[in-house]
Amino acid sequence: PSPKQSPPTDLPDPPTRRARSPFGSYNEFSGTTYTIDDCQCSPGYFGGGGADCTACPSGHYTSEFGSTSESACVKALKVCMMFPTYETVSGVYSQLHSIFAGALSGIAEVNDKSDAMWDDLLPDTTIFYEWYNDGNDGATGMKVAVECVTTAFGGTAADAVIGPSYSGVAMSTQLILASYGVPQISHSATSPTLSDAVTYPTFFRTPPSVGAA
């Protein structure tokens, strides 16, 4: 029989256990050894210093990491933008990039309070946005809608949704958004079915229904 072997003595030391970031905070050095003091408050939160972070008051938000004071939270409108720049089923890129670019331009103009253009629109409010690709697909759109009302904006959720572009996807996403009371406004969904305010109570649109007189 083979002689009994001694256990190896050159094994590496066990990895140092990483500290868990407090509530509402984040550590940019993920995957490395760090202490709680390395954790910074995520967007939408303030505080830190090794303690749980505090969410900005209702109607306020900060997009910065590491905010330590409530003064960093400004009056805000948080908008989820659903544009199918890449279609899930067909695998092709959508031609709606120009509409998305137009929406971004509009937000920039509203946020700029010094150019004498729309300065009286939301005069003391900053619009923050997060873009999501609904893929021109109902299932993808519903998944995105859930993210908008739960995990978006650091877990503080969106106040409103712009999009989707297509009526079918808008119907699917409205099932989620209406249950959370989140208003949704589409720039191109024109199905007359969406005019049913009982089924789609928080849906709005800028173009008229194709069935409108």
Side-chain angles (χ1 to χ4, degrees):
S2 302
K4 185 177 180 179
Q5 296 182 343
S6 299
T9 59
D10 58 348
L11 294 176
D13 293 332
T16 302
R17 186 174 182 177
R18 298 192 297 272
R20 182 174 182 177
S21 294
F23 173 79
S25 65
Y26 168 83
N27 168 49
E28 63 178 329
F29 305 108
S30 179
T32 66
T33 300
Y34 61 89
T35 68
I36 285 182
D37 290 335
D38 294 320
C39 300
Q40 296 183 328
C41 290
S42 301
Y45 294 83
F46 65 93
D52 286 350
C53 296
T54 302
C56 288
S58 177
H60 293 70
Y61 183 71
T62 173
S63 61
E64 302 299 325
F65 277 103
S67 297
T68 59
S69 171
E70 184 178 341
S71 61
C73 303
V74 299
K75 192 173 181 181
L77 177 64
K78 299 173 292 182
V79 179
C80 263
M81 304 178 69
M82 295 186 187
F83 288 86
T85 54
Y86 180 83
E87 298 188 2
T88 304
V89 177
S90 66
V92 301
Y93 285 93
S94 169
Q95 297 181 349
L96 293 172
H97 289 82
S98 58
I99 298 178
F100 180 42
L104 295 182
S105 177
I107 290 175
E109 291 291 353
V110 172
N111 284 342
D112 186 346
K113 309 304 183 185
S114 62
D115 62 353
M117 182 178 291
W118 300 343
D119 290 351
D120 57 344
L121 181 62
L122 301 176
D124 60 348
T125 300
T126 300
I127 301 176
F128 295 92
Y129 72 89
E130 290 185 359
W131 166 71
Y132 292 84
N133 179 24
D134 63 56
N136 190 20
D137 173 68
T140 303
M142 292 183 74
K143 175 179 179 295
V144 166
V146 169
E147 293 176 2
C148 286
V149 297
T150 56
T151 60
F153 298 96
T156 62
D159 299 315
V161 169
I162 295 178
S165 302
Y166 295 99
S167 296
V169 186
M171 294 175 192
S172 298
T173 55
Q174 179 63 186
L175 296 174
I176 304 296
L177 301 176
S179 65
Y180 281 83
V182 175
Q184 169 187 11
I185 181 167
S186 174
H187 46 277
S188 61
T190 57
S191 170
T193 302
L194 286 164
S195 297
D196 184 346
V198 175
T199 304
Y200 309 107
T202 65
F203 177 81
F204 305 90
R205 54 186 164 196
T206 53
S209 162
V210 292

